[in-house]
Amino acid sequence: MNYVIIGGVAAGMSAAMEIYRTDDKAHITVLEKGEDYSYGQCGLPYIISGVVPSFEDIIARSVQTFRDKYKIDARTMTTVESIDFDKQIVRGKSTKTNENFEISYDKLLIASGSSPIIPEWEGIELSGVHTIGAIKDTEMLMNDLDENIKNVTVIGGGYIGLEAAENFIKRGKNVTLIQRGPQVGKIFDQDMAELIHEKAIEKGIQLILNEEVKGFSGSKRVETVQTDKQTYQTDLVLLGIGVKPNTSFLQDTKIQLTKKNVIVVNPYQETSIEKVYAAGDCATNYHRIKQKDDHIPLGTTANKQGRIAGSNMAGHSMTFKGIVGTSIIKFFDLSLGRTGITEKEATSLNIPYLVQKTNARTHAGYYPGSETMTIKILYHQNTRELLGGEIIGKDGVDKRIDVLAVALFNKMTVDDLVDLDLSYAPPYNSVWDPLQQIARKS
């Protein structure tokens, strides 16, 4: 059986390894447009400050390991340009040799991932304007980030923007963060985002809200950022305004895409084309709370979907059970956690909801080191079923967000939280966990 996989990072290599373990007669070919395989993209912002010392630290397995140990035909610098679904042929070009290639498949996985959005702004081509969507991009940034770079502008206040801003500050740079809307961290409600704003300002970030970038200026290198309101001097720019799925080679084909060009998949990771699967940042994710397909590109989901796709391709049936929208961000000494849906999302979905919000101690107040965390939960007005939660604090956020994620996955009510048998000792918790405290108030 000839398996072809487009993309050699999270979803692609999770699938490849599952096929390897399931089908001992498999011939696996992986087509990766870059030079690196199986690395943790989420670790890239931490290379800026040196918290993660080197790029080698985020590589799980090298290309050569896949070739030598697992006998996978792991190719690099191969750009897929088109797929003939009728003849089951993938066509593309090697950017190393500039030679065209064709490869036939019995089963195909599209795990082409996503790329940073780069708007067609004036001056976007100037030196000093960067992204960190891949190792190569981040290497270019690091080569540019010398002692002469004093002022850095981060555009966008999402995952990448916030993490990069923190690490630039740790590197000793002056940081300006520009966000088009009224808040950073759009995955949070406005009232919770205010806590992020306060921390950004406390740490010396010049936070610019409600301004839209129009372009850049400079002779050869970027010198200013122009918004719809004013101009900012800068020595370097990082774009962190979101990602788009790498699916341009699928345009004008029979495969089903969403309006945002994301590949539509079913629970088996099958696409609308027979023998063609998709997984990771380029594919849809079923959202269990919204009860519809969504697109939340995260490494956790990519690895799960890749494993499921590989298993199904190799003949062992598995299904993807869906997401509840769980994520967490480190921002200086704060942890920013969320799961489920926000007030904004509940309103747009016409779901009647109630809100409870409180401040609680991370553990017993009499035990040293107790901190305050802010917790907000949403639950259905009629059924009291949990809909979502947001938690921001210095300690214990990850534990509570994961408890909420499990509760959401299992369709628990806010009252069910009170009955949970959660761990307690004064250094770790109060006799009533913060989640139970807020549930009792609801």
Side-chain angles (χ1 to χ4, degrees), residues 127-146:
S127 174
V129 179
H130 294 275
T131 63
I132 52 172
I135 285 181
K136 184 178 180 180
D137 301 328
T138 314
E139 285 177 335
M140 293 172 64
L141 168 66
M142 296 304 293
N143 290 336
D144 200 15
L145 195 62
D146 58 29

Side-chain angles (χ1 to χ4, degrees), residues 300-320:
T300 48
T301 304
N303 279 279
K304 288 174 196 161
Q305 287 190 324
R307 174 175 176 262
I308 290 166
S311 181
N312 287 316
M313 292 168 74
H316 180 240
S317 181
M318 292 178 66
T319 58
F320 181 63

Side-chain angles (χ1 to χ4, degrees), residues 270-291:
E270 296 170 322
T271 71
S272 59
I273 306 292
E274 189 178 2
K275 299 179 182 178
V276 179
Y277 299 72
D281 288 7
C282 64
T284 55
N285 336 116
Y286 179 75
H287 199 296
R288 294 171 66 91
I289 310 303
K290 297 179 182 180
Q291 298 184 20

Side-chain angles (χ1 to χ4, degrees), residues 98-123:
N98 209 35
E99 294 178 351
N100 296 321
F101 69 85
E102 287 190 356
I103 183 168
S104 61
Y105 64 86
D106 295 310
K107 293 186 179 179
L108 172 68
L109 171 65
I110 303 171
S112 48
S114 60
S115 296
I117 295 171
I118 303 176
E120 295 181 356
W121 288 330
E122 183 179 352

Side-chain angles (χ1 to χ4, degrees), residues 80-81 112 244-253 257 261:
V80 172
E81 296 179 333
S112 48
K244 60 180 180 180
N246 294 325
T247 56
S248 59
F249 60 93
L250 298 173
Q251 300 301 313
D252 302 319
T253 69
L257 304 174
N261 296 318

